DNA sequence: CATGAATGAGAATTCATTCAT
DNA sequence: CATGAATGAATTCTCATTCAT
């Protein structure tokens, strides 16, 4: 919607800004905020160091814009899935699948996100934390709504929604992370992996009709 | 066992070293390696900046010793549980419970570990990564062994062990992390939380005897 | 020869680099490597402390470049004299004179050289020693050649060349040093001083009853 | 003369002090004043670091006492020779020989002296320079006296005494230095080397057609 | 706008000196 | 006296930010 009114000049500017962000996200993801230098970003983005300051007012702002970008992507993705599914299972399945795909294609962005979540670098102003929390909250409220509906509809057992969601979020997140780290995932195996994790969460892993021998 | 033969001098030295490590782990956990300054560690540990160098040869060594400490703690804890349980369920349950307890009591240590795992700061020599990987491997081999046994004994479905373990490890880890972050856990609720997550993984969350209404 | 192709930027850079070296050599000569601080060099060269690092990667590199500069100057000077003289006497005379002139104009450089020769600071990597030794060797081989020729031509007595050269080198060096230290030498008196020392040394070794064949 | 009245306690104290100085001179000679640490001196002398301060008030004082020790040794040696010789030649010959012997046995002390002479470390208070200059002056006055006598007695040509002495001092010094550095000298070759250098210098300045009156 | 040289605040590290035991 | 742990001032080096071209 914003893009509508941009002149060529402005479009070019946006393009260059994006180039810088693309370069920066990779380095930030690899080294973290503090250990990343502007020299590195400048070199990777093929701009002069001074030029960066024509687009961003500080190193921190670059970081902030990257985080925003990732969060919005993710949020929009979830909203879209939310609107096109009915059951909790489908929501979880589709979301996880989409996340996996996104992460696979934007490994750096993903790591950066994880990294920032874990990392409470106070130097990186709490503003960033706030942005993340805000995005998180919107997503959460959607999932909670759907979970309650799933309980009501007897799709799942009557468990505390907060706990379930915490488990979903964290499990999915962590599992994806582990997969990416160890590298044994391709675009083809995504459907399969997604099914694996979603099904376990929904069905558990216990053998049903037999007694475990101890 | 080593402690037996330490003289008073040596014991005092060990004690002070530990004081420094205790101060350091908190700050490292909060800010990460790069963003933590020796001035801060010195202040928090109530030693002069130079004194730190009488106990550690560099900032990085402090970090390294902390990681080692945590890894060893964790590894020993798992081994102990492994030797005192038979089923996979019990292993997961006890391990998770013990981890939760440890994490609750050593929040900083836990965050630091997570942080280091996520963070591939190559600056922080790969030596640290190696240490972690070595510890990890030992633990993994124990869990894999037990998982295979569980499949053989029909305790659980015949799923690929690696995948299951990845899920356990990551889920447990992430769930604990999430719990700690949001702070709503006490020593009393540990048993309950542990049961919740272990049971879901084992049983799933789907309502069994009824068809979900969509 | 290199200078031909330098752009204005590059020439300016070289110029500034030289300014730094000029400032540094004075302080190094006065205080030695260890006792000289970058703050002093920065102040004397009228650059910011950080700026030095845009031109040199470390304090030691500044030192290294200075030594190289001096050695090369001196070596080239000797070679030139070697090629434009025939007798040992002339070689010694001209070299000594040229050295004296150089030293008078570059007192600091000279002291620094002496200083480094004396001083086997192993901290200052042995690389520097190696550079000096290499330069020295080239010069030595020229003088030895000429000395042997002088013996063959009966210009001087048949003494062990190594010993003679050691005497020349050390005497000349030390005499110059002493002169500079006590300051009673001007550009005008150089010819005279040179003749004084060369003649004494030569009267000590000259073949008496025969005419040197040239 | 001082030693006469020392009690056992005092003698022990002097002995330990000397042990420290002996250790220190080696390190100072090798690395220079700044680069030598008290830890090194403490280790080499096999005392605790704090103990050094029971004998010397500062690092600089250790240095100062060493220099004094060396200078006095040298001065006394010269005076002795002066009193037991008549001609300039003998004075130079004996002094050089004695110096060579001293240097060979106390390499470190010698290097330290050279080092300090060259090195105008202002950090090392000018007090040290003053001490050295004072010692130097006494020696100089003796040699000048003898040189004048030698001219009067037609032992040598009528050259400016100052210049001659400068040449002797510097030549001898530098030649010895060079010999020690390159290591090809033994106690046996001292007489020979001494004769070599003294003769050359003397052949350069000796009055030819007259017999020196003694 | 684009650039990169210049800068200085800040960080890690060293080491002479002090002092409690 | 002997000791070595504690200390902080001093030093080298890094890097975000500014600014003249």
């Amino acid at each position: 919607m914003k893009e509508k009114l941009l002149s060529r000049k402005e479009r070019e500017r946006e393009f260059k800004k994006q180039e810088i962000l693309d370069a920066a996200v990779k380095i930030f993801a690899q080294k973290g905020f503090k250990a990343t230098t502007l020299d590195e970003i400048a070199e990777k983005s093929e701009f002069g160091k001074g030029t960066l300051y024509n687009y961003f007012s500080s190193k921190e702002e670059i970081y902030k814009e990257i985080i925003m970008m990732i969060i919005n992507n993710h949020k929009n993705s979830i909203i879209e899935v939310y609107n096109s599914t009915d059951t909790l299972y489908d929501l979880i399945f589709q979301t996880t699948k989409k996340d996996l795909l996104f992460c696979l294609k934007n490994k750096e962005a993903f790591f950066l996100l994880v990294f920032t979540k874990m990392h409470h670098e106070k130097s990186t102003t709490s503003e960033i934390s706030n942005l993340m929390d805000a995005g998180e909250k919107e997503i959460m409220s959607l999932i909670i709504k759907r979970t309650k509906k799933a309980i009501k509809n007897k799709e799942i057992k009557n468990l505390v929604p907060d706990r379930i969601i915490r488990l979903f979020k964290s499990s999915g997140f962590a599992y994806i992370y582990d997969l990416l780290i160890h590298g044994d995932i391709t675009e083809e195996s995504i459907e399969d992996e997604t099914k694996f994790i979603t099904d376990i969460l929904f069905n558990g892993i216990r053998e049903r009709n037999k007694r475990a021998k101890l």
Side-chain angles (χ1 to χ4, degrees), chain A:
Chain A
M1 27 191 94
K2 310 178 207 150
E3 298 93 12
K4 291 284 157 37
L5 303 168
L6 298 179
S7 66
R8 188 180 57 77
K9 269 277 174 62
E10 288 168 318
R11 267 179 286 121
E12 270 178 20
R13 193 180 160 78
E14 279 309 308
F15 180 75
K16 288 183 189 170
K17 213 171 152 176
Q18 194 57 47
E19 296 240 293
I20 295 172
L21 291 175
D22 287 344
V25 71
K26 289 178 190 165
I27 311 178
F28 277 134
Q30 210 170 85
K31 310 216 200 181
F33 179 74
K34 256 271 164 171
T36 296
T37 69
L38 284 185
D39 274 298
E40 290 170 304
I41 298 178
E43 196 190 19
K44 182 145 211 135
S45 64
E46 294 176 85
F47 283 99
K49 199 185 351 176
T51 309
L52 303 186
Y53 281 83
N54 290 329
Y55 294 90
F56 304 92
S57 66
S58 71
K59 180 182 169 184
E60 188 165 335
E61 196 177 288
I62 300 181
Y63 197 74
K64 228 149 51 186
E65 295 221 9
I66 289 177
I67 296 293
M68 291 263 302
M69 189 176 83
I70 301 174
I71 292 179
N72 285 333
N73 264 355
H74 189 242
K75 199 176 69 184
N76 294 335
S77 159
I78 301 263
I79 291 175
E80 204 185 305
V81 170
Y82 183 81
N83 290 331
S84 64
T85 56
D86 271 316
T87 60
L88 178 60
Y89 181 90
D90 285 346
L91 177 61
I92 301 295
F93 181 83
Q94 295 296 344
T95 303
T96 306
K97 192 168 136 191
K98 240 183 161 171
D99 280 354
L100 253 175
L101 196 62
F102 170 77
C103 293
L104 198 61
K105 291 196 171 162
N106 305 277
K107 269 194 181 185
E108 300 87 8
F110 176 71
F111 284 130
L112 185 52
L113 193 60
V114 174
F115 179 75
T116 305
K117 274 177 78 99
M118 306 264 112
H119 200 352
H120 305 244
E121 284 196 72
K122 299 307 179 202
S123 64
T124 315
T125 353
S126 54
E127 205 185 327
I128 288 184
S129 294
N130 294 342
L131 286 174
M132 293 189 66
D133 288 351
E136 197 92 337
K137 224 161 247 173
E138 276 191 67
I139 295 177
M140 281 296 279
S141 78
L142 288 184
I143 309 192
I144 290 188
K145 221 160 101 185
R146 176 65 52 92
T147 305
K148 286 184 176 163
K149 182 176 155 197
I151 293 175
K152 196 159 137 253
N153 287 352
K154 313 270 184 203
E155 183 188 352
I156 62 169
K157 298 178 194 159
N158 187 4
L159 300 161
V160 187
D162 282 5
R163 272 179 154 183
I164 300 178
I165 287 158
R166 170 171 297 151
L167 183 62
F168 279 145
K169 253 188 353 140
S170 56
S171 296
F173 210 64
Y175 188 73
I176 290 173
Y177 179 76
D178 219 73
L179 269 177
L180 287 178
I181 283 284
H182 294 89
D184 36 7
I185 185 167
T186 63
E187 225 163 305
E188 287 74 41
S189 62
I190 281 183
E191 180 95 18
D192 191 39
E193 289 287 357
T194 306
K195 207 165 157 36
F196 172 72
I197 179 173
T198 316
D199 282 358
I200 286 194
L201 289 172
F202 269 76
N203 298 328
I205 59 173
R206 201 189 293 279
E207 186 79 52
R208 291 282 153 197
N209 301 323
K210 303 155 186 168
R211 285 255 50 89
K213 290 187 274 188
L214 301 188

